[in-house]
Each structure stands twice: as C-alpha cells, then as structure tokens.
Amino acid sequence: MDFTWTEREQTYRAELREYIAAHILPGWNHNDRELWDPRLKAVVKEFCKALGDDGWLTPHWPLEYGGLATSPWERVVVGEEMWGVGEPRGPQYMNVNWIAPAVMMAGTPEQKTKYLTPMAHGSVIWCQGFSEPDAGSDLASLKTRAVRDGDEYIISGQKTWTSYAHAAENIILLVRTNPDLEAHKGISILLVPMDLPGIEVRDIRTPFVTDLCHEVFFNDVRVPVSCLLGPENEGWSVVRHTLTEERLGINRYAYHEQALMEAMEETECVGRSLDDPGLLEQIGYGFAMFEAERSINYLAVQERIDDPHGVRPYASVWRAFGGGLAEYLLRDLLMELMGPEGLINETMADRDTELGTIGPIASGAYEIQLNIVARFCLGLPKHG
Ligand SMILES: Cc1cc2nc3c(=O)[nH]c(=O)nc-3n(C[C@H](O)[C@H](O)[C@H](O)COP(=O)(O)OP(=O)(O)OC[C@H]3O[C@@H](n4cnc5c(N)ncnc54)[C@H](O)[C@@H]3O)c2cc1C
C-alpha cells in the first residue's frame, strides 16, 4: 500500500485547513461537540451551513445527492482535518458519515429528498437511538416496540446513552416491529422527529460535561408509516452497514496527535520540564501509537474501497485500536505529562479524561471489537 498523498490531495488538505481556520469558533475543543451550552448549537449550525454552501460538508456524497463525488481518500482528509481541531461539525459528523448513507441505501425517493437535503445544508442535527438499558453490546435484544396501527406506528420503550438527544431535531431509531421473529429479524428503522408528543429526553449525569448522553423515553409516540426506513423487520442489514461506516467515519488519531502536541505546550507553560528521558520515551511511544492508528485506519479505508459490500474486519481492528488502546494511552500520557495540574479544568489532560474514558465504550465496546477481530481476522471460533 502506498501511504503518500498525491499533490491534489495535499492541495485539497491545505485549502480545507485554511478554510477551517477562517471559520471555526476561536477556542473550539472536542468537548464543545457535545453542545453542552445551548449557544454551541447555533455555532455548529452556522459552521456547517458555511461548509455546505462552500462544498466542504458532503463532498464525498454522490453527485445525485448534491455531493461532489470526491475520492474516499479526500473524505479521509476531511475527517482528519475536522478531528484534528476537535470536530467542529459537532453531531453533524454523524449525518454526513453514516446516517445519510443509511438513507441513501434504504430510503424512498421522497425520504431522500426530505432528509438528505437539510443534512447537505448543515441545518439539522440528528441523534442515534440504538442502545437500550438491556441492549448495548447485544444490540439485537432491543425491546422498544413499534406497533402498526393503520397508517401509523405507536412507539413505546426507552433508549439510553443517546448522544446529542437534547439538541437533535431527529432520531434514527431502532425498534422491534415483530417480537415473534428471531432477534435480528424483527427489527426496523424509523426516522422520527424529536418534538413529537410522548418523547422525553433526560440528561444522564456524568463526571464530564453536561449533556454528554441521555435517556430517551417513548410513551405511545405516534409516527406515520412513511417514517419507516427500508422494509419492515429488515432493519438489521442497514444497521450493520451503518455501524461499519460509523467506525470508519471517525478519524480520532488526528485528534490524538493534536491533543498530545497541545498538552506538551501546556506542560511547558506550567513550568514542567519535557527533558526527562523517561517522559520523552513515553511521548515518542504515544506518537508511534497514533501513527500506527492512522495506518490501520488507512488499511480499513482501502478494504472498503476494494470490497464495499464485504465483511470489513479491519474496520473493527481500527475501532479496537483507535477507540480502545489509543484513547487509554492518550488519557494516561496526558496525566503523566501534566501531573496534578492536569486535573485543572480546561487543560488538555482534564478534557481528555472524558474521551479516554468513554471512547472504548461508545460506538461499541472494545471487547466486542476484539471479538469481531478474533472471528473475522483470526478465524477463531465464535464464543458460546
Ligand atoms: C459516551 C457514550 C455515548 C454513546 N452514544 C450513543 C448513541 O448516541 N447512541 C446509541 O445508540 N448508543 C450510544 N452509546 C452506547 C454504546 O454503544 C454502548 O454503551 C456500548 O455498545 C456498550 O453497551 P452497554 O453500555 O450496554 O454495555 P454492555 O453491553 O452491558 O457491556 C458491559 C461490559 O461487558 C462487556 N461485554 C459485553 N458483552 C460481551 C461479549 N460478548 N464479549 C466480551 N465482553 C462483553 C463489554 O465489553 C463491556 O465492557 C454511547 C455510550 C457512551 C458511553
């Protein structure tokens, strides 16, 4: 595999970097992505609208959906540049990377117009309602019901850990439409507005920022059947595709590298020396790990290019490595660098305590990724 960037890709990156620098909210950091302050929602929408207007929000989308059909590698460039500055698209990185592809894959022409257009304009925030109190790693055991009643579904149940639910206008929701079929087969996807009567969002208190994740309750919520994405009871195949896109659409290594560089500056600012050979060795180890993370991501991207519809084990290798090991490493390294000063609010070490703690759980636990790697990369038998 050739790891060098073409001249065109380098120019593309330089232009985007300049664009982001000119438009990003000064002082933006990755915690702002959670929209813990209501003003941040307006900031994100303004930034994404500008990206949409100027061709930087959905350049990798096909031409028929208003994209520019840029190459998968240009898509990587966009992800890296956004994550390198703390993901100023806020929750909209989910829209462009995996919620929209799910709509493109399974939506009716009307749904595509209705949902993709606002996403391409950067004017809508979505959240993802998959996990439930007893359905996280074992997602197929989800219980939230949607019962058909004439031209409507009536939804009842509870989702949990839902990121961005407090700010979202829509939710991509997994529901059980047939409890008599085996677990994977009776699941459907509904695209649901969040302002309907019977939907209640509650913040889950964490030691990190407020509104990091939420519980969402559905109390006999009525939606028209036109909200159904894809065939009834066959949502699982769309979800599997979506989850792989999710794993690839997050270029965290760019953030990890940037965070380590910023933390080194902060360390010097608080008067701690970076000359200690032991510390330097750890910093070197950190950068090497993040470089390895980047290479595994590129392998996963190449895998998708080579076989867009196949099983993609390297997406899981990447997710296990980047979402698990690298984030633990970064969190511990930053604390080591900063010492007690790292506990002060707004230092990079303090902020990263959040990502380093939740990263190995959110979007699929580390151990689950390892299970997939064991089965599909190493050919080991399925447990149980
Ligand atoms: C910050 C954050 C944001 C999130 N955002 C969203 C969101 O927006 N939308 C959404 O739908 N979900 C979201 N999630 C939920 C996330 O996808 C789940 O937390 C994750 O899939 C794990 O599920 P669980 O929490 O139920 O843990 P469990 O499935 O109960 O797992 C608990 C522990 O047991 C281990 N374990 C479980 N099964 C196995 C197994 N078969 N083999 C080995 N080990 C196993 C796990 O690795 C884990 O360490 C978010 C979670 C977090 C922390």
Side-chain angles (χ1 to χ4, degrees):
M1 189 173 161
D2 180 3
F3 284 99
T4 46
W5 294 99
T6 63
E7 219 173 291
R8 178 193 152 112
E9 287 157 352
Q10 289 178 43
T11 308
Y12 189 71
R13 186 188 293 280
E15 284 171 7
L16 175 57
R17 194 169 284 188
E18 204 176 303
Y19 185 91
I20 293 174
H23 289 81
I24 194 170
L25 179 71
W28 176 272
N29 70 70
H30 85 260
N31 282 348
D32 293 337
R33 183 167 58 85
E34 313 295 349
L35 309 185
W36 52 271
D37 179 332
R39 282 170 302 182
L40 292 171
K41 180 171 168 177
V43 166
V44 157
K45 283 200 167 174
E46 200 182 318
F47 181 74
C48 288
K49 184 179 177 308
L51 288 178
D53 289 347
D54 297 325
W56 292 112
L57 187 60
T58 57
H60 61 286
W61 285 14
L63 298 174
E64 61 182 303
Y65 302 125
L68 300 171
T70 56
S71 77
W73 293 109
E74 283 164 330
R75 178 182 174 183
V76 170
V77 168
V78 174
E80 289 181 349
E81 292 305 311
M82 294 295 176
W83 276 86
V85 293
E87 190 45 278
R89 292 173 296 184
Q92 295 199 40
Y93 73 94
M94 305 201 305
N95 296 3
V96 299
N97 282 318
W98 64 89
I99 300 177
V103 175
M104 289 175 201
M105 179 182 172
T108 60
E110 293 74 28
Q111 287 174 328
K112 288 175 183 171
T113 306
K114 179 174 175 185
Y115 298 117
L116 297 180
T117 308
M119 284 191 218
H121 287 123
S123 61
V124 65
I125 290 175
W126 282 74
C127 62
Q128 175 177 307
F130 289 6
S131 306
E132 297 184 3
D134 293 318
S137 302
D138 183 15
L139 187 57
S141 64
L142 65 91
K143 294 192 184 68
T144 295
R145 282 297 314 273
V147 177
R148 182 87 183 246
D149 180 29
D151 289 341
E152 293 181 321
Y153 286 107
I154 306 174
I155 310 167
S156 51
Q158 182 198 342
K159 296 292 168 180
T160 194
W161 305 122
T162 322
S163 306
Y164 318 117
H166 64 304
E169 285 98 13
N170 290 306
I171 184 166
I172 179 167
L173 189 68
L174 286 190
V175 290
R176 187 159 299 286
T177 34
N178 189 336
D180 299 326
L181 295 174
E182 63 184 89
H184 293 85
K185 295 207 172 135
I187 292 174
S188 303
I189 302 175
L190 296 176
L191 305 174
V192 177
M194 286 292 281
D195 60 356
L196 294 179
I199 299 183
E200 188 193 342
V201 177
R202 292 187 202 157
D203 180 28
I204 298 176
R205 299 295 297 273
T206 70
F208 313 116
V209 288
T210 52
D211 284 312
L212 174 63
C213 37
H214 311 83
E215 297 173 299
V216 186
F217 295 87
F218 295 83
N219 303 308
D220 294 333
V221 176
R222 287 182 171 269
V223 294
V225 287
S226 58
C227 289
L228 179 70
L229 180 70
E232 192 178 81
N233 299 324
E234 290 175 29
W236 193 252
S237 58
V238 180
V239 167
R240 279 187 56 198
H241 174 80
T242 300
L243 290 179
T244 312
E245 292 294 328
E246 172 176 17
R247 283 166 196 147
L248 274 188
I250 301 180
N251 301 79
R252 288 177 198 262
Y253 49 88
Y255 166 74
H256 293 156
E257 287 167 348
Q258 196 57 35
L260 183 48
M261 283 194 284
E262 275 184 43
M264 286 165 67
E265 278 172 28
E266 283 179 352
T267 305
E268 290 192 308
C269 284
V270 297
R272 286 170 68 88
S273 168
L274 286 176
D275 287 342
D276 177 66
L279 203 52
L280 284 177
E281 191 181 326
Q282 287 186 49
I283 293 170
Y285 181 69
F287 279 121
M289 281 285 277
F290 304 145
E291 200 51 36
E293 194 188 347
R294 175 191 296 273
S295 304
I296 297 171
N297 179 263
Y298 292 172
L299 210 55
V301 171
Q302 190 61 49
E303 179 182 62
R304 180 175 51 192
I305 295 169
D306 293 342
D307 186 6
H309 304 295
V311 180
R312 300 189 203 142
Y314 284 107
S316 288
V317 178
W318 140 248
R319 175 70 199 131
F321 192 87
L325 290 180
E327 280 182 9
Y328 282 137
L329 177 90
L330 180 66
R331 182 190 60 182
D332 296 348
L333 185 53
L334 297 196
M335 277 296 171
E336 184 75 31
L337 273 177
M338 291 289 287
E341 312 271 1
L343 297 173
I344 295 171
N345 235 351
E346 288 310 305
T347 61
M348 188 46 94
D350 178 65
R351 278 193 233 130
D352 198 72
T353 312
E354 177 203 313
L355 197 67
T357 304
I358 64 172
I361 305 167
S363 67
Y366 175 56
E367 293 80 0
I368 299 303
Q369 307 305 327
L370 291 185
N371 283 350
I372 297 172
V373 172
R375 272 189 74 199
F376 294 105
C377 291
L378 304 176
L380 297 175
K382 190 178 176 192
H383 171 69

